[in-house]
Amino acid sequence: MGDVDPGSFTSAVARELQKARRTDLHFSPVPVSERLREQGERSLSRAGLTASIAMALRGDWAGVRVGFVIGVPGETEADRLEGLEVLEGLSATRTKNVKRTHLSVELKPFVPVRQGPWENHPSLPADEWSAIAGQWRHRLGRSKIRVVAPLGTALEAEAALRIGGARAGA
């Protein structure tokens, strides 16, 4: 079974997934801020995302992984800050008395695809991607949230394969 869309995660979906005896719950990657999700026509508010993740953290999973797409055209530092704040807020609400579900975030790079709406927008350069991933690791490490992110060189290789040529990561 693949990732779960955080916008459609309900208690009924959680019960069905738990019947399948999954140990971890992975949410499919979404843009990092409400503004970018609306721009990409994914109607998932910050409150809705927070509620979905909080419900998952109260569930019976060993781990919950949230996916964020980083580097979407038009993304700002304020957008990334919103994603950090959501995760830090959720981490602060986890209690130490109960079995603590492990919370992690998977950073997925924006990679343009041919004939897509953002085909001509480059992905982040490897050094900028590495700096962002390092900042997230440092900041979320204090909240005991694991950050998973591919290497910057892998990002450039994927972009080159999807778009072709040297435009990727330029």
Side-chain angles (χ1 to χ4, degrees):
M1 188 180 308
D3 297 346
V4 177
D5 182 356
S8 60
F9 187 71
T10 63
S11 57
V13 171
R15 281 191 302 277
E16 290 301 314
L17 291 172
Q18 287 175 334
K19 285 180 188 175
R21 300 203 187 279
R22 290 181 59 162
T23 57
D24 289 341
L25 177 67
H26 294 192
F27 284 112
S28 59
V30 295
V32 73
S33 73
E34 183 174 353
R35 181 184 72 81
L36 292 172
R37 289 189 293 275
E38 287 174 359
Q39 179 182 336
E41 298 180 6
R42 293 212 47 194
S43 60
L44 179 61
S45 68
R46 179 178 179 163
L49 177 64
T50 302
S52 292
I53 299 168
M55 182 188 321
L57 289 171
R58 290 188 304 269
D60 204 15
W61 284 283
V64 173
R65 180 174 289 177
V66 179
F68 280 135
V69 179
I70 302 290
V72 174
E75 180 179 288
T76 65
E77 187 63 36
D79 293 315
R80 290 192 288 270
L81 181 60
E82 179 180 318
L84 286 165
E85 289 171 349
V86 164
L87 293 169
E88 288 171 333
L90 287 163
S91 178
T93 63
R94 293 186 295 170
T95 62
K96 294 182 179 172
N97 304 356
V98 186
K99 175 191 79 90
R100 285 181 70 165
T101 301
H102 298 285
L103 177 60
S104 63
V105 61
E106 182 176 13
L107 301 181
K108 298 285 250 178
F110 164 79
V111 178
V113 294
R114 280 198 187 128
Q115 299 177 354
W118 292 319
E119 175 182 6
N120 294 320
H121 293 273
S123 56
L124 292 172
D127 57 341
E128 187 176 346
W129 171 259
S130 297
I132 291 168
Q135 291 166 353
W136 279 62
R137 282 187 180 103
H138 176 74
R139 182 158 172 184
L140 294 175
R142 293 178 283 189
S143 299
K144 306 265 190 279
I145 299 173
R146 183 171 174 248
V147 176
V148 178
L151 296 174
T153 52
L155 163 70
E156 289 181 343
E158 183 178 355
L161 288 171
R162 287 199 180 182
I163 286 290
R167 288 189 324 189

